[in-house]
PDB file of all heavy atoms in Angstrom:
ATOM      1  N   ILE A   8      44.760-148.306  73.251  1.00  0.00           N
ATOM      2  CA  ILE A   8      46.119-148.132  72.758  1.00  0.00           C
ATOM      3  C   ILE A   8      47.058-149.217  73.267  1.00  0.00           C
ATOM      4  O   ILE A   8      47.957-149.673  72.545  1.00  0.00           O
ATOM      5  CB  ILE A   8      46.649-146.721  73.119  1.00  0.00           C
ATOM      6  CG1 ILE A   8      47.925-146.406  72.337  1.00  0.00           C
ATOM      7  CG2 ILE A   8      46.859-146.588  74.606  1.00  0.00           C
ATOM      8  CD1 ILE A   8      47.711-146.217  70.869  1.00  0.00           C
ATOM      9  N   ASP A   9      46.861-149.686  74.496  1.00  0.00           N
ATOM     10  CA  ASP A   9      47.757-150.706  75.050  1.00  0.00           C
ATOM     11  C   ASP A   9      47.569-152.049  74.339  1.00  0.00           C
ATOM     12  O   ASP A   9      48.553-152.728  74.007  1.00  0.00           O
ATOM     13  CB  ASP A   9      47.520-150.867  76.552  1.00  0.00           C
ATOM     14  CG  ASP A   9      47.946-149.630  77.335  1.00  0.00           C
ATOM     15  OD1 ASP A   9      48.875-148.929  76.878  1.00  0.00           O
ATOM     16  OD2 ASP A   9      47.357-149.368  78.400  1.00  0.00           O
ATOM     17  N   ALA A  10      46.315-152.428  74.109  1.00  0.00           N
ATOM     18  CA  ALA A  10      46.050-153.689  73.407  1.00  0.00           C
ATOM     19  C   ALA A  10      46.534-153.605  71.963  1.00  0.00           C
ATOM     20  O   ALA A  10      47.094-154.567  71.424  1.00  0.00           O
ATOM     21  CB  ALA A  10      44.554-154.012  73.450  1.00  0.00           C
ATOM     22  N   LEU A  11      46.329-152.459  71.326  1.00  0.00           N
ATOM     23  CA  LEU A  11      46.794-152.268  69.956  1.00  0.00           C
ATOM     24  C   LEU A  11      48.313-152.323  69.889  1.00  0.00           C
ATOM     25  O   LEU A  11      48.886-152.940  68.972  1.00  0.00           O
ATOM     26  CB  LEU A  11      46.283-150.920  69.420  1.00  0.00           C
ATOM     27  CG  LEU A  11      46.708-150.530  68.011  1.00  0.00           C
ATOM     28  CD1 LEU A  11      46.216-151.546  66.988  1.00  0.00           C
ATOM     29  CD2 LEU A  11      46.185-149.138  67.665  1.00  0.00           C
ATOM     30  N   ASP A  12      48.968-151.716  70.844  1.00  0.00           N
ATOM     31  CA  ASP A  12      50.431-151.733  70.910  1.00  0.00           C
ATOM     32  C   ASP A  12      50.948-153.156  71.063  1.00  0.00           C
ATOM     33  O   ASP A  12      51.903-153.561  70.370  1.00  0.00           O
ATOM     34  CB  ASP A  12      50.887-150.870  72.087  1.00  0.00           C
ATOM     35  CG  ASP A  12      52.395-150.829  72.249  1.00  0.00           C
ATOM     36  OD1 ASP A  12      53.098-150.733  71.221  1.00  0.00           O
ATOM     37  OD2 ASP A  12      52.861-150.877  73.403  1.00  0.00           O
ATOM     38  N   ALA A  13      50.331-153.929  71.942  1.00  0.00           N
ATOM     39  CA  ALA A  13      50.748-155.327  72.143  1.00  0.00           C
ATOM     40  C   ALA A  13      50.548-156.144  70.873  1.00  0.00           C
ATOM     41  O   ALA A  13      51.399-156.969  70.508  1.00  0.00           O
ATOM     42  CB  ALA A  13      49.961-155.932  73.303  1.00  0.00           C
ATOM     43  N   LEU A  14      49.437-155.919  70.187  1.00  0.00           N
ATOM     44  CA  LEU A  14      49.158-156.629  68.939  1.00  0.00           C
ATOM     45  C   LEU A  14      50.181-156.267  67.865  1.00  0.00           C
ATOM     46  O   LEU A  14      50.710-157.143  67.168  1.00  0.00           O
ATOM     47  CB  LEU A  14      47.744-156.286  68.454  1.00  0.00           C
ATOM     48  CG  LEU A  14      47.248-157.025  67.209  1.00  0.00           C
ATOM     49  CD1 LEU A  14      47.053-158.509  67.512  1.00  0.00           C
ATOM     50  CD2 LEU A  14      45.942-156.405  66.719  1.00  0.00           C
ATOM     51  N   ALA A  15      50.509-154.974  67.748  1.00  0.00           N
ATOM     52  CA  ALA A  15      51.452-154.513  66.732  1.00  0.00           C
ATOM     53  C   ALA A  15      52.866-155.021  66.997  1.00  0.00           C
ATOM     54  O   ALA A  15      53.667-155.178  66.074  1.00  0.00           O
ATOM     55  CB  ALA A  15      51.454-152.984  66.672  1.00  0.00           C
ATOM     56  N   ALA A  16      53.182-155.286  68.263  1.00  0.00           N
ATOM     57  CA  ALA A  16      54.511-155.787  68.618  1.00  0.00           C
ATOM     58  C   ALA A  16      54.702-157.241  68.219  1.00  0.00           C
ATOM     59  O   ALA A  16      55.840-157.693  68.024  1.00  0.00           O
ATOM     60  CB  ALA A  16      54.741-155.617  70.121  1.00  0.00           C
ATOM     61  N   GLU A  17      53.603-157.973  68.063  1.00  0.00           N
ATOM     62  CA  GLU A  17      53.687-159.417  67.805  1.00  0.00           C
ATOM     63  C   GLU A  17      53.194-159.837  66.426  1.00  0.00           C
ATOM     64  O   GLU A  17      53.598-160.883  65.924  1.00  0.00           O
ATOM     65  CB  GLU A  17      52.873-160.164  68.872  1.00  0.00           C
ATOM     66  CG  GLU A  17      53.354-159.956  70.292  1.00  0.00           C
ATOM     67  CD  GLU A  17      54.732-160.563  70.538  1.00  0.00           C
ATOM     68  OE1 GLU A  17      55.081-161.526  69.806  1.00  0.00           O
ATOM     69  OE2 GLU A  17      55.447-160.075  71.435  1.00  0.00           O
ATOM     70  N   HIS A  18      52.320-159.040  65.805  1.00  0.00           N
ATOM     71  CA  HIS A  18      51.676-159.475  64.562  1.00  0.00           C
ATOM     72  C   HIS A  18      51.667-158.365  63.515  1.00  0.00           C
ATOM     73  O   HIS A  18      51.782-157.182  63.838  1.00  0.00           O
ATOM     74  CB  HIS A  18      50.230-159.913  64.839  1.00  0.00           C
ATOM     75  CG  HIS A  18      50.102-161.009  65.849  1.00  0.00           C
ATOM     76  ND1 HIS A  18      50.346-162.342  65.566  1.00  0.00           N
ATOM     77  CD2 HIS A  18      49.765-160.960  67.174  1.00  0.00           C
ATOM     78  CE1 HIS A  18      50.152-163.069  66.641  1.00  0.00           C
ATOM     79  NE2 HIS A  18      49.803-162.251  67.638  1.00  0.00           N
ATOM     80  N   THR A  19      51.516-158.800  62.260  1.00  0.00           N
ATOM     81  CA  THR A  19      51.282-157.853  61.169  1.00  0.00           C
ATOM     82  C   THR A  19      49.819-157.428  61.199  1.00  0.00           C
ATOM     83  O   THR A  19      48.926-158.272  61.198  1.00  0.00           O
ATOM     84  CB  THR A  19      51.604-158.495  59.805  1.00  0.00           C
ATOM     85  OG1 THR A  19      52.986-158.854  59.779  1.00  0.00           O
ATOM     86  CG2 THR A  19      51.304-157.532  58.661  1.00  0.00           C
ATOM     87  N   ILE A  20      49.573-156.124  61.244  1.00  0.00           N
ATOM     88  CA  ILE A  20      48.208-155.615  61.365  1.00  0.00           C
ATOM     89  C   ILE A  20      47.737-155.028  60.028  1.00  0.00           C
ATOM     90  O   ILE A  20      48.253-153.999  59.591  1.00  0.00           O
ATOM     91  CB  ILE A  20      48.106-154.525  62.450  1.00  0.00           C
ATOM     92  CG1 ILE A  20      48.575-155.060  63.800  1.00  0.00           C
ATOM     93  CG2 ILE A  20      46.678-154.017  62.554  1.00  0.00           C
ATOM     94  CD1 ILE A  20      48.513-154.030  64.902  1.00  0.00           C
ATOM     95  N   PRO A  21      46.766-155.665  59.376  1.00  0.00           N
ATOM     96  CA  PRO A  21      46.141-155.019  58.212  1.00  0.00           C
ATOM     97  C   PRO A  21      45.333-153.806  58.694  1.00  0.00           C
ATOM     98  O   PRO A  21      44.499-153.920  59.602  1.00  0.00           O
ATOM     99  CB  PRO A  21      45.224-156.113  57.640  1.00  0.00           C
ATOM    100  CG  PRO A  21      45.736-157.399  58.240  1.00  0.00           C
ATOM    101  CD  PRO A  21      46.250-157.020  59.597  1.00  0.00           C
ATOM    102  N   THR A  22      45.608-152.659  58.098  1.00  0.00           N
ATOM    103  CA  THR A  22      45.049-151.386  58.579  1.00  0.00           C
ATOM    104  C   THR A  22      44.515-150.577  57.409  1.00  0.00           C
ATOM    105  O   THR A  22      45.180-150.457  56.381  1.00  0.00           O
ATOM    106  CB  THR A  22      46.138-150.571  59.292  1.00  0.00           C
ATOM    107  OG1 THR A  22      46.657-151.331  60.384  1.00  0.00           O
ATOM    108  CG2 THR A  22      45.600-149.244  59.789  1.00  0.00           C
ATOM    109  N   TYR A  23      43.339-149.986  57.599  1.00  0.00           N
ATOM    110  CA  TYR A  23      42.794-149.208  56.483  1.00  0.00           C
ATOM    111  C   TYR A  23      42.478-147.773  56.854  1.00  0.00           C
ATOM    112  O   TYR A  23      42.213-147.430  58.001  1.00  0.00           O
ATOM    113  CB  TYR A  23      41.563-149.910  55.910  1.00  0.00           C
ATOM    114  CG  TYR A  23      40.205-149.420  56.339  1.00  0.00           C
ATOM    115  CD1 TYR A  23      39.528-148.432  55.615  1.00  0.00           C
ATOM    116  CD2 TYR A  23      39.552-149.969  57.455  1.00  0.00           C
ATOM    117  CE1 TYR A  23      38.260-148.001  55.981  1.00  0.00           C
ATOM    118  CE2 TYR A  23      38.284-149.551  57.827  1.00  0.00           C
ATOM    119  CZ  TYR A  23      37.649-148.563  57.091  1.00  0.00           C
ATOM    120  OH  TYR A  23      36.385-148.137  57.458  1.00  0.00           O
ATOM    121  N   ILE A  24      42.541-146.941  55.821  1.00  0.00           N
ATOM    122  CA  ILE A  24      42.012-145.576  55.858  1.00  0.00           C
ATOM    123  C   ILE A  24      41.187-145.402  54.586  1.00  0.00           C
ATOM    124  O   ILE A  24      41.603-145.828  53.507  1.00  0.00           O
ATOM    125  CB  ILE A  24      43.122-144.511  55.916  1.00  0.00           C
ATOM    126  CG1 ILE A  24      43.991-144.698  57.157  1.00  0.00           C
ATOM    127  CG2 ILE A  24      42.508-143.107  55.912  1.00  0.00           C
ATOM    128  CD1 ILE A  24      45.130-143.690  57.272  1.00  0.00           C
ATOM    129  N   GLY A  25      40.033-144.786  54.725  1.00  0.00           N
ATOM    130  CA  GLY A  25      39.163-144.566  53.577  1.00  0.00           C
ATOM    131  C   GLY A  25      39.323-143.168  52.998  1.00  0.00           C
ATOM    132  O   GLY A  25      39.539-142.192  53.732  1.00  0.00           O
ATOM    133  N   PHE A  26      39.214-143.076  51.673  1.00  0.00           N
ATOM    134  CA  PHE A  26      39.333-141.796  50.971  1.00  0.00           C
ATOM    135  C   PHE A  26      38.210-141.707  49.942  1.00  0.00           C
ATOM    136  O   PHE A  26      38.186-142.480  48.976  1.00  0.00           O
ATOM    137  CB  PHE A  26      40.690-141.681  50.268  1.00  0.00           C
ATOM    138  CG  PHE A  26      41.868-141.741  51.210  1.00  0.00           C
ATOM    139  CD1 PHE A  26      42.399-142.968  51.585  1.00  0.00           C
ATOM    140  CD2 PHE A  26      42.421-140.585  51.721  1.00  0.00           C
ATOM    141  CE1 PHE A  26      43.483-143.039  52.455  1.00  0.00           C
ATOM    142  CE2 PHE A  26      43.500-140.644  52.595  1.00  0.00           C
ATOM    143  CZ  PHE A  26      44.032-141.871  52.966  1.00  0.00           C
ATOM    144  N   ASP A  27      37.282-140.800  50.155  1.00  0.00           N
ATOM    145  CA  ASP A  27      36.212-140.612  49.176  1.00  0.00           C
ATOM    146  C   ASP A  27      36.755-139.909  47.935  1.00  0.00           C
ATOM    147  O   ASP A  27      37.705-139.119  48.000  1.00  0.00           O
ATOM    148  CB  ASP A  27      35.059-139.810  49.781  1.00  0.00           C
ATOM    149  CG  ASP A  27      34.110-140.683  50.589  1.00  0.00           C
ATOM    150  OD1 ASP A  27      34.236-141.919  50.518  1.00  0.00           O
ATOM    151  OD2 ASP A  27      33.238-140.129  51.301  1.00  0.00           O
ATOM    152  N   CYS A  28      36.110-140.200  46.807  1.00  0.00           N
ATOM    153  CA  CYS A  28      36.613-139.730  45.508  1.00  0.00           C
ATOM    154  C   CYS A  28      35.917-138.429  45.104  1.00  0.00           C
ATOM    155  O   CYS A  28      35.238-138.356  44.074  1.00  0.00           O
ATOM    156  CB  CYS A  28      36.389-140.811  44.454  1.00  0.00           C
ATOM    157  SG  CYS A  28      37.003-142.447  44.941  1.00  0.00           S
ATOM    158  N   THR A  29      36.094-137.383  45.908  1.00  0.00           N
ATOM    159  CA  THR A  29      35.399-136.118  45.662  1.00  0.00           C
ATOM    160  C   THR A  29      36.174-135.186  44.746  1.00  0.00           C
ATOM    161  O   THR A  29      35.650-134.168  44.305  1.00  0.00           O
ATOM    162  CB  THR A  29      35.123-135.400  46.995  1.00  0.00           C
ATOM    163  OG1 THR A  29      36.357-135.268  47.723  1.00  0.00           O
ATOM    164  CG2 THR A  29      34.148-136.209  47.845  1.00  0.00           C
ATOM    165  N   ALA A  30      37.446-135.491  44.456  1.00  0.00           N
ATOM    166  CA  ALA A  30      38.257-134.696  43.537  1.00  0.00           C
ATOM    167  C   ALA A  30      39.250-135.637  42.868  1.00  0.00           C
ATOM    168  O   ALA A  30      39.453-136.779  43.323  1.00  0.00           O
ATOM    169  CB  ALA A  30      38.988-133.575  44.272  1.00  0.00           C
ATOM    170  N   ASP A  31      39.883-135.171  41.790  1.00  0.00           N
ATOM    171  CA  ASP A  31      40.792-136.045  41.055  1.00  0.00           C
ATOM    172  C   ASP A  31      42.207-136.047  41.626  1.00  0.00           C
ATOM    173  O   ASP A  31      43.145-136.525  40.992  1.00  0.00           O
ATOM    174  CB  ASP A  31      40.814-135.678  39.561  1.00  0.00           C
ATOM    175  CG  ASP A  31      41.239-134.237  39.316  1.00  0.00           C
ATOM    176  OD1 ASP A  31      41.480-133.509  40.299  1.00  0.00           O
ATOM    177  OD2 ASP A  31      41.306-133.843  38.135  1.00  0.00           O
ATOM    178  N   SER A  32      42.366-135.501  42.817  1.00  0.00           N
ATOM    179  CA  SER A  32      43.627-135.573  43.547  1.00  0.00           C
ATOM    180  C   SER A  32      43.325-135.375  45.019  1.00  0.00           C
ATOM    181  O   SER A  32      42.259-134.871  45.387  1.00  0.00           O
ATOM    182  CB  SER A  32      44.600-134.485  43.062  1.00  0.00           C
ATOM    183  OG  SER A  32      45.784-134.466  43.860  1.00  0.00           O
ATOM    184  N   LEU A  33      44.254-135.791  45.863  1.00  0.00           N
ATOM    185  CA  LEU A  33      44.210-135.426  47.272  1.00  0.00           C
ATOM    186  C   LEU A  33      45.095-134.200  47.467  1.00  0.00           C
ATOM    187  O   LEU A  33      45.959-133.912  46.636  1.00  0.00           O
ATOM    188  CB  LEU A  33      44.712-136.583  48.133  1.00  0.00           C
ATOM    189  CG  LEU A  33      43.904-137.883  48.066  1.00  0.00           C
ATOM    190  CD1 LEU A  33      44.595-138.988  48.852  1.00  0.00           C
ATOM    191  CD2 LEU A  33      42.486-137.682  48.564  1.00  0.00           C
ATOM    192  N   HIS A  34      44.870-133.467  48.561  1.00  0.00           N
ATOM    193  CA  HIS A  34      45.741-132.339  48.844  1.00  0.00           C
ATOM    194  C   HIS A  34      46.430-132.539  50.190  1.00  0.00           C
ATOM    195  O   HIS A  34      46.280-133.587  50.836  1.00  0.00           O
ATOM    196  CB  HIS A  34      44.991-131.007  48.763  1.00  0.00           C
ATOM    197  CG  HIS A  34      43.817-130.873  49.685  1.00  0.00           C
ATOM    198  ND1 HIS A  34      43.912-130.976  51.051  1.00  0.00           N
ATOM    199  CD2 HIS A  34      42.511-130.619  49.431  1.00  0.00           C
ATOM    200  CE1 HIS A  34      42.742-130.795  51.606  1.00  0.00           C
ATOM    201  NE2 HIS A  34      41.853-130.582  50.644  1.00  0.00           N
ATOM    202  N   VAL A  35      47.201-131.551  50.591  1.00  0.00           N
ATOM    203  CA  VAL A  35      48.025-131.669  51.794  1.00  0.00           C
ATOM    204  C   VAL A  35      47.194-131.986  53.033  1.00  0.00           C
ATOM    205  O   VAL A  35      47.694-132.583  53.985  1.00  0.00           O
ATOM    206  CB  VAL A  35      48.860-130.379  51.977  1.00  0.00           C
ATOM    207  CG1 VAL A  35      49.444-130.282  53.370  1.00  0.00           C
ATOM    208  CG2 VAL A  35      49.983-130.343  50.949  1.00  0.00           C
ATOM    209  N   GLY A  36      45.909-131.640  53.014  1.00  0.00           N
ATOM    210  CA  GLY A  36      45.045-131.962  54.140  1.00  0.00           C
ATOM    211  C   GLY A  36      44.910-133.449  54.398  1.00  0.00           C
ATOM    212  O   GLY A  36      44.544-133.874  55.500  1.00  0.00           O
ATOM    213  N   SER A  37      45.204-134.272  53.391  1.00  0.00           N
ATOM    214  CA  SER A  37      45.153-135.740  53.548  1.00  0.00           C
ATOM    215  C   SER A  37      46.531-136.341  53.796  1.00  0.00           C
ATOM    216  O   SER A  37      46.648-137.563  53.949  1.00  0.00           O
ATOM    217  CB  SER A  37      44.561-136.381  52.283  1.00  0.00           C
ATOM    218  OG  SER A  37      43.236-135.967  52.061  1.00  0.00           O
ATOM    219  N   LEU A  38      47.557-135.502  53.842  1.00  0.00           N
ATOM    220  CA  LEU A  38      48.913-136.030  53.874  1.00  0.00           C
ATOM    221  C   LEU A  38      49.265-136.708  55.197  1.00  0.00           C
ATOM    222  O   LEU A  38      50.071-137.645  55.212  1.00  0.00           O
ATOM    223  CB  LEU A  38      49.914-134.909  53.566  1.00  0.00           C
ATOM    224  CG  LEU A  38      51.339-135.342  53.224  1.00  0.00           C
ATOM    225  CD1 LEU A  38      51.366-136.404  52.141  1.00  0.00           C
ATOM    226  CD2 LEU A  38      52.175-134.130  52.797  1.00  0.00           C
ATOM    227  N   VAL A  39      48.674-136.280  56.295  1.00  0.00           N
ATOM    228  CA  VAL A  39      48.930-136.960  57.566  1.00  0.00           C
ATOM    229  C   VAL A  39      48.503-138.424  57.466  1.00  0.00           C
ATOM    230  O   VAL A  39      49.244-139.333  57.870  1.00  0.00           O
ATOM    231  CB  VAL A  39      48.203-136.260  58.734  1.00  0.00           C
ATOM    232  CG1 VAL A  39      48.129-137.172  59.955  1.00  0.00           C
ATOM    233  CG2 VAL A  39      48.921-134.983  59.119  1.00  0.00           C
ATOM    234  N   GLN A  40      47.302-138.670  56.928  1.00  0.00           N
ATOM    235  CA  GLN A  40      46.826-140.045  56.802  1.00  0.00           C
ATOM    236  C   GLN A  40      47.702-140.863  55.851  1.00  0.00           C
ATOM    237  O   GLN A  40      47.980-142.041  56.095  1.00  0.00           O
ATOM    238  CB  GLN A  40      45.370-140.060  56.308  1.00  0.00           C
ATOM    239  CG  GLN A  40      44.345-139.799  57.399  1.00  0.00           C
ATOM    240  CD  GLN A  40      44.365-138.369  57.903  1.00  0.00           C
ATOM    241  OE1 GLN A  40      44.310-137.432  57.107  1.00  0.00           O
ATOM    242  NE2 GLN A  40      44.452-138.189  59.204  1.00  0.00           N
ATOM    243  N   ILE A  41      48.154-140.241  54.769  1.00  0.00           N
ATOM    244  CA  ILE A  41      49.034-140.936  53.826  1.00  0.00           C
ATOM    245  C   ILE A  41      50.355-141.287  54.493  1.00  0.00           C
ATOM    246  O   ILE A  41      50.867-142.404  54.346  1.00  0.00           O
ATOM    247  CB  ILE A  41      49.263-140.065  52.575  1.00  0.00           C
ATOM    248  CG1 ILE A  41      47.944-139.841  51.825  1.00  0.00           C
ATOM    249  CG2 ILE A  41      50.284-140.710  51.644  1.00  0.00           C
ATOM    250  CD1 ILE A  41      48.031-138.840  50.694  1.00  0.00           C
ATOM    251  N   MET A  42      50.916-140.358  55.247  1.00  0.00           N
ATOM    252  CA  MET A  42      52.175-140.621  55.947  1.00  0.00           C
ATOM    253  C   MET A  42      52.006-141.707  57.005  1.00  0.00           C
ATOM    254  O   MET A  42      52.918-142.520  57.224  1.00  0.00           O
ATOM    255  CB  MET A  42      52.697-139.334  56.581  1.00  0.00           C
ATOM    256  CG  MET A  42      53.214-138.295  55.598  1.00  0.00           C
ATOM    257  SD  MET A  42      54.629-138.848  54.619  1.00  0.00           S
ATOM    258  CE  MET A  42      55.873-139.062  55.892  1.00  0.00           C
ATOM    259  N   MET A  43      50.845-141.748  57.646  1.00  0.00           N
ATOM    260  CA  MET A  43      50.601-142.800  58.636  1.00  0.00           C
ATOM    261  C   MET A  43      50.605-144.177  57.969  1.00  0.00           C
ATOM    262  O   MET A  43      51.154-145.144  58.516  1.00  0.00           O
ATOM    263  CB  MET A  43      49.276-142.548  59.349  1.00  0.00           C
ATOM    264  CG  MET A  43      49.309-141.345  60.289  1.00  0.00           C
ATOM    265  SD  MET A  43      47.701-140.943  61.009  1.00  0.00           S
ATOM    266  CE  MET A  43      47.537-142.246  62.244  1.00  0.00           C
ATOM    267  N   LEU A  44      50.001-144.278  56.797  1.00  0.00           N
ATOM    268  CA  LEU A  44      50.023-145.548  56.072  1.00  0.00           C
ATOM    269  C   LEU A  44      51.440-145.901  55.636  1.00  0.00           C
ATOM    270  O   LEU A  44      51.837-147.076  55.668  1.00  0.00           O
ATOM    271  CB  LEU A  44      49.099-145.476  54.850  1.00  0.00           C
ATOM    272  CG  LEU A  44      47.595-145.471  55.128  1.00  0.00           C
ATOM    273  CD1 LEU A  44      46.810-145.276  53.828  1.00  0.00           C
ATOM    274  CD2 LEU A  44      47.148-146.759  55.821  1.00  0.00           C
ATOM    275  N   ARG A  45      52.205-144.897  55.236  1.00  0.00           N
ATOM    276  CA  ARG A  45      53.589-145.151  54.813  1.00  0.00           C
ATOM    277  C   ARG A  45      54.435-145.651  55.991  1.00  0.00           C
ATOM    278  O   ARG A  45      55.184-146.625  55.861  1.00  0.00           O
ATOM    279  CB  ARG A  45      54.191-143.875  54.229  1.00  0.00           C
ATOM    280  CG  ARG A  45      55.626-144.038  53.740  1.00  0.00           C
ATOM    281  CD  ARG A  45      56.141-142.755  53.119  1.00  0.00           C
ATOM    282  NE  ARG A  45      57.556-142.841  52.808  1.00  0.00           N
ATOM    283  CZ  ARG A  45      58.076-143.275  51.671  1.00  0.00           C
ATOM    284  NH1 ARG A  45      57.265-143.703  50.697  1.00  0.00           N
ATOM    285  NH2 ARG A  45      59.385-143.312  51.468  1.00  0.00           N
ATOM    286  N   ILE A  46      54.322-144.993  57.129  1.00  0.00           N
ATOM    287  CA  ILE A  46      55.067-145.423  58.315  1.00  0.00           C
ATOM    288  C   ILE A  46      54.621-146.818  58.738  1.00  0.00           C
ATOM    289  O   ILE A  46      55.437-147.670  59.102  1.00  0.00           O
ATOM    290  CB  ILE A  46      54.884-144.411  59.457  1.00  0.00           C
ATOM    291  CG1 ILE A  46      55.635-143.118  59.118  1.00  0.00           C
ATOM    292  CG2 ILE A  46      55.361-144.979  60.794  1.00  0.00           C
ATOM    293  CD1 ILE A  46      55.388-141.986  60.078  1.00  0.00           C
ATOM    294  N   LEU A  47      53.309-147.054  58.709  1.00  0.00           N
ATOM    295  CA  LEU A  47      52.777-148.372  59.054  1.00  0.00           C
ATOM    296  C   LEU A  47      53.415-149.459  58.193  1.00  0.00           C
ATOM    297  O   LEU A  47      53.824-150.513  58.697  1.00  0.00           O
ATOM    298  CB  LEU A  47      51.258-148.356  58.878  1.00  0.00           C
ATOM    299  CG  LEU A  47      50.522-149.656  59.204  1.00  0.00           C
ATOM    300  CD1 LEU A  47      49.396-149.388  60.199  1.00  0.00           C
ATOM    301  CD2 LEU A  47      49.923-150.281  57.951  1.00  0.00           C
TER     302      LEU A  47
END
């Protein structure tokens, strides 16, 4: 976390989350990950 924090303070970090296509929509159970990408 400390190295990641230092990197995020100085550089733009390309960051990914994967989502398998098991249904034709996501539900609220995936919303934390979506919000994390939005905040990022």
Side-chain angles (χ1 to χ4, degrees):
I8 193 69
D9 292 331
L11 178 61
D12 180 41
L14 184 68
E17 299 293 334
H18 302 282
T19 298
I20 302 179
T22 301
Y23 99 91
I24 300 179
F26 299 86
D27 277 350
C28 309
T29 54
D31 59 358
S32 174
L33 298 174
H34 58 59
V35 165
S37 297
L38 194 51
V39 163
Q40 280 70 51
I41 297 172
M42 289 298 295
M43 290 174 75
L44 288 175
R45 181 177 173 89
I46 289 173
L47 180 127

